[in-house]
Amino acid sequence: MALIDSCPGPQGLGGLQATAQGRSQQYALGQIGECYRANQQTATISSQVVYAVDPVVYAVDPGYTYLTGGPYYSSVNFTPKAIPDPRIAAEERFYEEERARQRLHRVEVTARAESLLLSALNPIQAKDFRTTREFTVISKDGKRTYRITYGIAGNVILIEKGKPVARYCIYPIGIPIEDVMLAQKLMLETDEESFIRIANRTPIRGLERVVLVAA
Amino acid sequence: MTPKQVLDVELGPNQSVMAIMNETGDKKTIYDRTDPVQVEAAKAEFKVYKDKGYMAYKMLDEGKRGEILHSFDPTAERIVFSPPMRGGYGPY
C-alpha cells in the first residue's frame, strides 16, 4: 500500500507515498504540521497505511481524515502507532521457541541425570540428596568422610570430627551437575588416592568454616 | 521373571546396561549378556570409551559401593562411565 518517498514540502522532510480514496498522496512521516499543501481539503485514508522508519514499522488505520491538496503538502495529524515488523516478529518468535526448547531440554537433562544419581545412592544418601541436594560419602577404607554438595567446582568437602576441613575441586567436563556429583562419589568410593592427587585442595578456615559448621 | 529397575531402566533377566554420562545426562546401551554378538558390541563400545579416558564403574546392588573396571566385565549387570576427571580451581 505505502511507499517510502521523500517529501518535497518546504521542510524537506522524509515523506510517505500512500493512496487514500484512490488518490495518491504524500505526507511526512510522523511529523505534525511540518509539511504543507495549499488549497486544503480533507481526505480519508481508505485502507491501512503502513510505513517504516527502520527498524520500526508504523501504521495509520483506515478512516483517518487528514488535510490535503494544493502544491504544498498537508500536515499529517496522526500519532503513528508501532506495529511489529513481520521479519522482527518472526525472528523473536524463533528465539522464543528456541528458548522454550532449551528450557525443556534442561529440565529433561536434569531429570535424567538426577535419576541416574539417585539410582546409585543408598537410601540414606538418596533421602539426604532429596532433602538438601547434598549427600555424604565414606572413603573406601572407611576412614574419611566427604560431603558432596550441589555443584561442580570445589563442592566436595572433607569432614573431620564433624567439621569441614578442606574443599576439593575436581570434576569431569560437559555433563550435568548431578552426573558430576555421581562421578565424584564413584571416584571417592573406589579410587580415593587418584581423587586426592588430581583434585585441587583448599583448606577451610575462619569464617567459611563457621558458616559451614552452622549450616 | 519380572523386569527389574536398574539404573533407572527396566531390565530383563539377562540384560545389562551401560550408562555413559554425557551432556544430555547419559546414553544407555542395553544388551543381553547371553547373546555373544550383543556382548561383543558392548565390549567394543566399552573399549571406545576407555580409550577416550572415561572411567568405568561396575555398580552393585543399591547402597553398595561400586568397583572400577579396567576391562570389560561380561557379567556386570550395570556399568557407569564418567568422563575423565580433572582438577578444578583452587586453592581458593
Side-chain angles (χ1 to χ4, degrees), chain A:
Chain A
M1 168 67 187
L3 296 171
I4 303 292
D5 200 355
S6 61
C7 172
Q11 305 300 318
L13 299 170
L16 171 70
Q17 184 76 32
T19 304
Q21 290 187 337
R23 294 178 59 194
S24 180
Q25 301 294 335
Q26 196 165 34
Y27 48 87
L29 290 175
Q31 300 291 326
I32 298 173
E34 298 280 0
C35 243
Y36 301 98
R37 206 175 231 203
N39 304 321
Q40 292 183 344
Q41 60 186 74
T42 60
T44 303
I45 295 176
S46 57
S47 60
Q48 189 182 57
V49 176
V50 177
Y51 65 95
V53 181
D54 199 37
V56 181
V57 175
Y58 296 97
V60 184
D61 288 329
Y64 175 74
T65 301
Y66 64 102
L67 298 172
T68 185
Y72 298 103
Y73 288 81
S74 67
S75 60
V76 180
N77 298 310
F78 65 84
T79 305
K81 66 175 182 182
I83 61 167
D85 181 331
R87 293 166 305 172
I88 294 174
E91 201 171 297
E92 283 176 352
R93 207 164 42 246
F94 169 79
Y95 284 117
E96 182 51 45
E97 286 169 7
E98 182 62 17
R99 282 192 291 272
R101 197 187 65 76
Q102 286 178 359
R103 277 196 297 273
L104 182 63
H105 180 69
R106 274 198 298 275
V107 169
E108 287 172 356
V109 164
T110 302
R112 195 177 300 122
E114 186 171 324
S115 177
L116 183 70
L117 172 63
L118 287 170
S119 73
L121 297 180
N122 67 36
I124 296 170
Q125 289 171 328
K127 186 182 174 191
D128 203 3
F129 177 76
R130 285 197 182 94
T131 313
T132 63
R133 313 302 282 175
E134 302 176 3
F135 56 88
T136 300
V137 173
I138 309 295
S139 64
K140 190 176 181 180
D141 58 14
K143 289 180 181 170
R144 280 165 299 282
T145 302
Y146 295 90
R147 186 79 175 157
I148 299 181
T149 61
Y150 193 80
I152 289 175
N155 65 317
V156 181
I157 297 169
L158 173 64
I159 309 287
E160 282 180 2
K161 297 176 184 171
K163 290 182 181 173
V165 294
R167 190 182 279 283
Y168 289 91
C169 190
I170 178 173
Y171 53 84
I173 293 176
I175 57 175
I177 294 175
E178 292 78 3
D179 278 354
V180 171
M181 295 170 75
L182 175 56
Q184 291 165 336
K185 167 196 152 36
L186 291 171
M187 195 170 185
L188 271 176
E189 288 181 342
T190 56
D191 190 6
E192 190 188 4
E193 294 83 13
S194 297
F195 184 96
I196 291 169
R197 181 170 43 79
I198 296 171
N200 275 314
R201 184 183 195 272
T202 305
I204 294 175
R205 305 189 187 93
L207 188 60
E208 188 187 13
R209 190 167 190 168
V210 173
V211 170
L212 283 170
V213 169

Side-chain angles (χ1 to χ4, degrees), chain A residues 113 116-117 119-120 172-176 178-184 186-187 190, chain B residues 7 16-31 39 41-59 66-73 76-85:
Chain A
L116 183 70
L117 172 63
S119 73
I173 293 176
I175 57 175
E178 292 78 3
D179 278 354
V180 171
M181 295 170 75
L182 175 56
Q184 291 165 336
L186 291 171
M187 195 170 185
T190 56
Chain B
L7 285 183
S16 291
V17 60
M18 281 198 300
I20 298 129
M21 293 180 189
N22 61 18
E23 69 281 358
T24 68
D26 63 89
K27 176 179 90 87
K28 291 189 180 71
T29 301
I30 297 171
Y31 58 96
V39 170
K43 191 175 177 180
E45 189 172 8
F46 183 96
K47 186 175 181 313
V48 166
Y49 285 98
K50 283 299 280 183
D51 288 349
K52 287 182 182 174
Y54 278 57
M55 299 168 79
Y57 300 95
K58 177 181 177 178
M59 306 297 291
E67 295 172 8
I68 285 193
L69 288 178
H70 297 291
S71 58
F72 183 69
D73 179 355
E77 192 174 53
R78 45 184 181 157
I79 297 171
V80 173
F81 277 94
S82 84
M85 296 289 249

